[in-house]
Amino acid sequence: MSKSLVSISDFNKEEILHIMDKAAEFEADPNRPVLAGKVIATLFFEPSTRTRLSFESAINRLGGRVIGFSEANNTSVSKGETLHDTIKMVSNYSDLIVMRHYIEGAARYASEVSSVPIINAGDGSNQHPSQTLLDLYSIKKTQGTLNDIHIVIVGDLKYGRTVHSLLQAMSHFNARFTFVAPDELSLPDEYKLFLRGIGIQYKETQDIKEALADADILYMTRVQRERFSDLMEYERVKNAYILRNSMLEGTKENMRILHPLPRVNEIHPDVDTNEKAYYFTQARNGVFTRMAIISYLLGIE
Ligand code: CP
């Protein structure tokens, strides 16, 4: 069976570091036709701007071709075709499949059905491993290392798939975490157990100002309306944490603010011009990181 990237745990520490090196090479020289003759499918059962377009940009820059859809209602899924059959068909037509799906575990299932590699571009609240690799690339570029970083994560730690993948990846590098979330959106116990089990330090607080004082990376997240079954609960917590420029006084000189984006209200636009705001460059880093992931999974050096 071909190697897929469904969970960040599908890559070991050496593979993660290899992707970091390759992403840097692609950033230095992004237009290399190593995917000439390859067809990559992008199947998005959930909305996306960055993930789909940065994958497609990466493929185009590498000389590959893209097929796929951004709206499953225009496909035979709307006639009742199963995910099983859709993946069987698309793996006949492509060399690799990038898939986002709203059901947790859908990408793992697809990888078991597919004859070509699957990249999980987000499955419900579960995992978003290509986002994590671009997050790590952004951390390495801004901090000069992945080792011994203090990451403050703010917002939706319950449903945030980028948070779940990030914890697992940074645990290879002796990260220390501070979690800032309302009770309703606190980190699920399974992830706390995971961190405790491998001896990674973390603390939980609702005081963002206190957490920021010692942060190397501030990782903001959106409260995701689409994950709530009770919209009253969403309304209660949606503006729990809003980062403003004035809150960055006294933070470390080299602290950088990441956000997987899209943002809604959680970062005030007055932060955008602060040199610590890194989220737009972080999204750009996604192109180079995704070039590295695709070429690695296809065995292209
Ligand atoms: N970060 C991220 O996954 O953004 P999109 O939902 O726009 O792809």
Side-chain angles (χ1 to χ4, degrees):
M1 201 161 66
S2 54
K3 185 171 176 72
S4 290
L5 177 60
V6 171
S7 159
I8 194 64
S9 57
D10 291 334
F11 279 6
N12 61 30
K13 183 176 177 178
E14 286 65 40
E15 288 173 304
I16 290 173
L17 291 171
H18 177 72
I19 296 294
M20 300 295 104
D21 290 345
K22 286 289 163 191
E25 285 177 24
F26 280 121
E27 181 166 10
D29 180 10
N31 295 307
R32 282 186 274 172
V34 297
L35 292 185
K38 300 285 185 196
V39 175
I40 314 287
T42 56
L43 312 185
F44 279 70
F45 295 81
E46 246 193 2
S48 167
T49 297
R50 275 146 295 274
T51 309
R52 186 172 67 82
L53 295 180
S54 63
F55 264 115
E56 295 188 358
S57 173
I59 296 158
N60 278 291
R61 284 185 184 280
L62 295 179
R65 292 178 186 229
V66 182
I67 59 170
F69 55 80
S70 57
E71 173 53 78
N73 284 339
N74 294 333
T75 74
S76 288
V77 170
S78 66
K79 302 174 201 162
E81 187 160 51
T82 61
L83 182 62
H84 175 277
D85 289 2
T86 302
I87 295 297
K88 278 279 182 204
M89 289 308 101
V90 179
S91 60
N92 283 335
Y93 306 145
S94 61
D95 298 293
L96 182 145
I97 297 172
V98 178
M99 185 181 88
R100 171 171 288 184
H101 203 285
Y102 49 89
I103 295 177
E104 294 182 23
R108 180 65 67 199
Y109 178 67
S111 73
E112 289 163 5
V113 169
S114 176
S115 56
V116 301
I118 298 282
I119 298 177
N120 179 7
D123 62 327
S125 303
N126 186 30
Q127 285 269 322
H128 193 350
S130 69
Q131 175 71 45
T132 298
L133 290 164
L134 81 86
D135 292 345
L136 265 62
Y137 185 58
S138 301
I139 293 170
K140 190 159 188 286
K141 272 178 71 177
T142 60
Q143 305 299 310
T145 179
L146 288 174
N147 296 316
D148 306 315
I149 301 289
H150 177 208
I151 307 180
V152 175
I153 308 183
V154 178
D156 181 356
L157 312 188
K158 180 178 179 184
Y159 300 113
R161 57 194 176 199
T162 66
V163 172
H164 304 156
S165 299
L166 183 66
L167 295 179
Q168 285 178 287
M170 285 304 290
S171 67
H172 288 300
F173 302 99
N174 196 38
R176 181 162 59 88
F177 296 102
T178 300
F179 301 127
V180 184
D183 287 338
E184 295 89 335
L185 296 177
S186 65
L187 191 71
D189 285 344
E190 67 196 88
Y191 294 102
K192 293 184 204 166
L193 281 171
F194 165 76
L195 293 174
R196 284 205 290 273
I198 56 171
I200 295 288
Q201 289 181 51
Y202 71 84
K203 80 174 183 189
E204 294 178 282
T205 175
Q206 295 191 337
D207 183 347
I208 186 170
K209 193 84 182 121
E210 173 210 315
L212 283 183
D214 184 33
D216 298 309
I217 292 290
L218 168 59
Y219 194 92
M220 296 295 298
T221 64
R222 175 174 67 97
V223 176
Q224 301 171 85
R225 186 176 187 275
E226 65 272 27
R227 307 281 177 229
F228 284 77
S229 49
D230 176 358
L231 284 184
M232 292 296 284
E233 187 175 323
Y234 168 74
E235 290 296 327
R236 258 199 318 277
V237 296
K238 69 177 185 185
N239 290 325
Y241 295 101
I242 300 176
L243 184 70
R244 295 174 192 276
N245 207 24
S246 56
M247 295 161 71
L248 298 173
E249 276 171 30
T251 55
K252 282 186 178 177
E253 190 72 25
N254 197 39
M255 193 268 276
R256 289 293 176 270
I257 304 158
L258 304 188
H259 189 314
L261 303 177
R263 70 170 154 184
V264 184
N265 290 328
E266 63 278 4
I267 301 181
H268 190 278
D270 74 3
V271 178
D272 292 358
T273 51
N274 192 305
E275 65 177 11
K276 295 178 180 176
Y278 193 74
Y279 28 91
F280 295 125
T281 308
Q282 175 191 2
R284 182 173 185 272
N285 290 337
V287 176
F288 315 120
T289 313
R290 288 170 170 136
M291 287 175 168
I293 296 168
I294 291 170
S295 42
Y296 176 67
L297 290 177
L298 289 176
I300 297 165
E301 283 306 319

